[in-house]
């Protein structure tokens, strides 16, 4: 009787964890795989032209655990904060702003959300996300009308999210713009050239401050606004993001990870000992899935030529969307068929929940092209799951990944295909190196990329904005 009872307990435990894990993820941790567009490169240095709020690594041992810390955002209790998003969608910018909304609500701030651009027809995603906010006590107002204007005038802080949100200022506030600018914090995530338009950012020099996710993006905005638009950036604060407590709870639970790993691998038809290299991002040319597949194919050829002994390798593309029938996605699938690697490549539809895939793979590939990612949150999420990262030597990835320690970097563009292929082979053939890099990445996350680190950094910025608004008033 003992063994069946044990089996039943194990099955019940697995069911419990599957249900718990999928219930755990609030919008703040369900990082969506759409439009994570931003980029550029950096290192962990302090730039004189802007501020970087982080704990010095030498003092890490003295930092209390998050459970003992008083909430660094506690001073925002009863403050009125207006959050302005250019859209409400399953993309990185709006979800990150929603995460800030929930952090502020958690300390008793009054939070109002408005979305500048909404489709004329009812939208299921918008309906769902607005209801999530309402359930958490966030007020949702129309972007236009007197109510929005009155809230902006009364608010202690107004946060504009993304460059495009700047259009809301003139369209809605009109003559009231000068009264609101001294308390505006502009949170910028974009790096693409088409965002540098005066119609979006003409008020940028006059706001209380700009908050940007990486040093490289901050430097890029400083240079590009001056050269292209002849305007000067306001005081700029670099704030690296952090992993939520919910995601860390799953990442640090071996039972949860094992259950998820088994479940996902079974659904993909791969064995436990097989090696999975995954890219988790919306499928688009800028994210580099095409170049990754070329590198993966080349790595298979290298292994065959050198007669290396490695477990079967698979490439996983999470973020697919064949319903959209894009030319790029068709190109990807045609390449896989042409090279006869259909049994080695797996396309997974775009999803809110990334944790199951992080638990099931062995290596994350962050292959964003051009200037790379502004930050690239999926990178720190993967490191939380003790995964090594193969990333482009561009953008925020260089502020996260320590080359040869927590992962391996390769050039962006076509010149990066062969180096990435070689790096895939390196990690496939050196198990200890792979595991050590994963552990080092986890340690780096614990040191500087947790929710309380992000809260501390944001709190420092908000204090500065409140002080400026008060002095101006």
């Amino acid at each position: 009787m003992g063994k069946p009872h044990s089996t039943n307990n194990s099955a019940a435990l697995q069911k419990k964890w599957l249900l718990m894990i999928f219930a755990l993820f609030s919008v703040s941790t369900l990082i969506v795989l759409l439009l994570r567009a931003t980029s550029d490169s950096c290192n962990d240095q302090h730039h004189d032209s802007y501020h970087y709020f982080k704990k010095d690594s030498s003092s890490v041992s003295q930092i209390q655990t998050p459970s003992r810390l008083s909430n660094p955002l506690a001073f925002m209790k009863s403050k009125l904060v207006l959050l302005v998003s250019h859209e409400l969608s399953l993309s990185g910018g709006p979800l990150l702003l929603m995460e800030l909304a929930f952090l502020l609500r958690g300390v008793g701030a009054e939070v109002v959300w408005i979305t500048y651009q909404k489709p004329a027809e009812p939208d299921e995603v918008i309906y769902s996300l607005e209801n999530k906010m309402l359930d958490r006590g966030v007020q949702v107002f129309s972007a236009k009308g007197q109510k929005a204007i009155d809230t902006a005038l009364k608010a202690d802080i107004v946060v504009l999210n993304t460059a495009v949100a700047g259009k809301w200022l003139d369209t809605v506030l009109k003559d009231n713009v000068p009264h609101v600018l001294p308390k505006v914090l502009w949170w910028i995530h974009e790096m693409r050239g088409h965002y540098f338009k005066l119609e979006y950012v003409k008020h940028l020099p006059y706001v209380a401050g700009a908050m940007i996710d990486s040093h490289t993006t901050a430097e890029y905005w400083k240079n590009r606004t001056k050269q292209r638009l002849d305007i000067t950036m306001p005081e700029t604060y670099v704030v690296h993001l952090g992993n939520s407590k919910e995601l860390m709870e799953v990442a640090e639970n071996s039972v949860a990870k094992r259950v998820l790993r088994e479940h996902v691998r079974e659904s993909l038809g791969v064995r436990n000992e097989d090696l999975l290299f995954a890219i988790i991002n919306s499928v688009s040319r800028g994210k580099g899935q095409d170049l990754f597949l070329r590198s993966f194919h080349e790595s298979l050829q290298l292994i065959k030529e050198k007669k290396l002994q490695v477990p079967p390798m698979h490439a996983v593309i999470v973020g697919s969307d064949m319903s959209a029938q894009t030319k790029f996605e068709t190109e990807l699938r045609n390449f896989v068929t042409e090279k006869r690697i259909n049994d080695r490549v797996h396309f997974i539809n775009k999803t809110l929940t990334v944790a199951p895939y992080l638990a099931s793979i062995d290596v994350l590939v962050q292959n964003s092209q051009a200037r790379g990612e502004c930050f690239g949150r999926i990178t720190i999420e993967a490191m939380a799951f003790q995964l090594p990262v193969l990333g482009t030597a561009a953008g925020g990835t260089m502020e996260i990944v320590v080359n040869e320690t927590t992962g391996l970097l390769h050039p962006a563009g076509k010149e990066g295909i062969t180096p990435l292929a070689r790096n895939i082979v390196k990690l496939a053939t050196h198990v200890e190196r792979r595991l050590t890099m994963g552990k080092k990445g986890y340690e780096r996350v614990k040191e500087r990329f947790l929710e309380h680190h992000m809260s501390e950094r944001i709190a420092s910025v908000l204090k500065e904005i409140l002080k400026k608004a008060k002095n101006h008033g």
Side-chain angles (χ1 to χ4, degrees):
M1 294 292 288
K3 281 191 176 179
H5 180 68
S6 173
T7 304
N8 289 340
N9 278 347
S10 176
L13 185 61
Q14 289 200 7
K15 248 183 206 177
K16 173 191 169 188
W17 268 109
L18 278 172
L19 291 171
M20 175 182 169
I21 288 157
F22 289 114
L24 264 176
F25 290 93
S26 61
V27 174
S28 63
T29 58
L30 304 183
I31 302 305
V32 198
L33 311 169
L34 296 170
L35 308 178
R36 290 177 111 163
T38 35
S39 27
D40 240 54
S41 97
C42 346
N43 44 33
D44 270 343
Q45 58 187 10
H46 180 88
H47 295 265
D48 294 335
S49 57
Y50 43 83
H51 306 279
Y52 179 35
F53 293 109
K54 76 177 185 69
K55 286 285 183 183
D56 187 271
S57 58
S58 62
S59 65
V60 169
S61 60
Q62 299 168 15
I63 298 174
Q64 294 179 352
T65 59
S67 60
R68 291 180 184 173
L69 287 170
S70 59
N71 194 311
L73 290 165
F75 68 95
M76 290 297 294
K77 182 178 181 180
S78 302
K79 294 285 191 293
L80 174 58
V81 182
L82 174 62
L83 305 179
V84 182
S85 183
H86 75 288
E87 66 176 10
L88 185 53
S89 66
L90 299 180
S91 59
L95 291 180
L96 194 53
L97 190 65
M98 286 180 68
E99 183 169 347
L100 176 60
F102 298 151
L103 288 173
L104 291 171
R105 281 297 302 142
V107 296
E110 183 180 354
V111 182
V112 176
W113 176 288
I114 61 177
T115 305
Y116 174 54
Q117 297 173 338
K118 276 188 178 182
E121 298 298 317
D123 184 280
E124 284 186 19
V125 171
I126 291 176
Y127 176 81
S128 174
L129 295 179
E130 284 186 342
N131 274 282
K132 284 181 183 294
M133 287 193 282
L134 291 169
D135 289 344
R136 299 283 290 271
V138 177
Q139 302 172 67
V140 179
F141 291 174
S142 167
K144 299 171 184 178
Q146 194 59 44
K147 201 171 185 180
I149 297 170
D150 291 343
T151 305
L153 291 171
K154 286 193 305 180
D156 295 290
I157 292 179
V158 176
V159 180
L160 295 183
N161 195 47
T162 75
V164 184
K167 292 182 72 174
W168 173 81
L169 291 168
D170 286 321
T171 305
V172 177
L173 296 184
K174 299 178 181 177
D175 294 341
N176 292 300
V177 169
H179 303 294
V180 176
L181 290 180
K183 54 187 175 182
V184 168
L185 173 63
W186 209 320
W187 201 357
I188 295 171
H189 315 285
E190 303 99 329
M191 287 282 283
R192 307 303 180 206
H194 60 272
Y195 291 110
F196 292 89
K197 295 180 180 178
L198 275 177
E199 63 177 303
Y200 295 157
V201 299
K202 67 180 182 181
H203 295 297
L204 186 55
Y206 313 108
V207 301
M211 185 164 71
I212 299 183
D213 305 333
S214 67
H215 290 294
T216 300
T217 312
E219 195 67 24
Y220 181 72
W221 269 83
K222 176 188 171 185
N223 296 333
R224 193 69 182 252
T225 50
K226 188 65 179 173
Q227 295 165 4
R228 186 164 176 173
L229 302 176
D230 196 27
I231 64 175
T232 303
M233 286 289 289
E235 193 159 11
T236 301
Y237 308 90
V238 172
V239 172
H240 283 161
L241 308 180
N243 287 328
S244 71
K245 294 174 185 176
E246 291 88 350
L247 183 128
M248 292 304 298
E249 183 177 342
V250 178
E252 294 176 332
N253 191 294
S254 58
V255 176
K257 288 197 293 184
R258 179 174 56 79
V259 171
L260 289 173
R261 182 181 176 90
E262 291 173 359
H263 177 76
V264 172
R265 285 182 172 242
E266 183 181 350
S267 70
L268 294 177
V270 300
R271 299 175 304 176
N272 186 56
E273 60 269 27
D274 292 356
L275 285 176
L276 271 59
F277 293 78
I279 187 166
I280 304 178
N281 258 321
S282 55
V283 169
S284 66
R285 204 170 297 279
K287 301 301 181 182
Q289 286 90 351
D290 54 341
L291 302 182
F292 165 55
L293 286 178
R294 291 180 185 279
S295 297
F296 179 72
H297 177 255
E298 190 173 315
S299 72
L300 295 177
Q301 298 300 110
L302 288 170
I303 288 168
K304 186 176 180 180
E305 289 168 11
K306 295 182 178 181
K307 297 180 180 179
L308 301 173
Q309 296 299 311
V310 298
M313 299 195 325
H314 298 259
V316 183
I317 310 288
V318 183
S320 179
D321 185 8
M322 269 310 284
S323 63
Q325 296 184 332
T326 65
K327 180 183 176 183
F328 181 67
E329 177 131 8
T330 303
E331 284 177 19
L332 297 181
R333 293 175 184 261
N334 287 344
F335 175 83
V336 170
T337 302
E338 176 192 326
K339 298 300 180 182
R340 298 181 181 179
I341 51 175
N342 303 69
D343 60 330
R344 298 294 191 106
V345 179
H346 310 269
F347 291 90
I348 296 171
N349 284 340
K350 58 190 178 186
T351 174
L352 286 172
T353 50
V354 297
Y357 301 103
L358 293 174
S360 65
I361 66 175
D362 299 287
V363 178
L364 178 83
V365 179
Q366 174 59 281
N367 206 39
S368 293
Q369 298 300 303
R371 287 179 293 274
E373 291 286 333
C374 172
F375 183 75
R377 197 170 193 182
I378 189 65
T379 306
I380 60 171
E381 293 172 333
M383 288 160 65
F385 278 78
Q386 300 192 34
L387 299 175
V389 178
L390 299 179
T392 45
T397 302
M398 293 181 68
E399 297 180 26
I400 302 171
V401 177
V402 180
N403 194 30
E404 301 287 345
T405 300
T406 66
L408 299 170
L409 298 177
H410 58 274
K414 291 181 180 178
E415 59 267 34
I417 292 175
T418 296
L420 174 56
R422 289 173 180 157
N423 287 343
I424 289 172
V425 174
K426 282 179 188 176
L427 293 192
T429 54
H430 294 86
V431 180
E432 276 306 313
R433 189 177 191 188
R434 195 169 69 236
L435 296 177
T436 300
M437 282 183 168
K439 288 175 183 174
K440 291 288 185 183
Y442 170 75
E443 289 169 7
R444 187 162 168 80
V445 165
K446 294 288 281 187
E447 179 184 315
R448 63 183 67 197
F449 296 126
L450 295 177
E451 183 179 286
H452 77 89
H453 296 130
M454 183 174 76
S455 293
E456 287 169 1
R457 293 190 277 259
I458 290 177
S460 298
V461 176
L462 295 180
K463 284 178 181 176
E464 291 290 319
I465 303 303
L466 285 174
K467 190 188 303 180
K468 288 183 181 181
K470 185 177 180 181
N471 291 341
H472 191 275

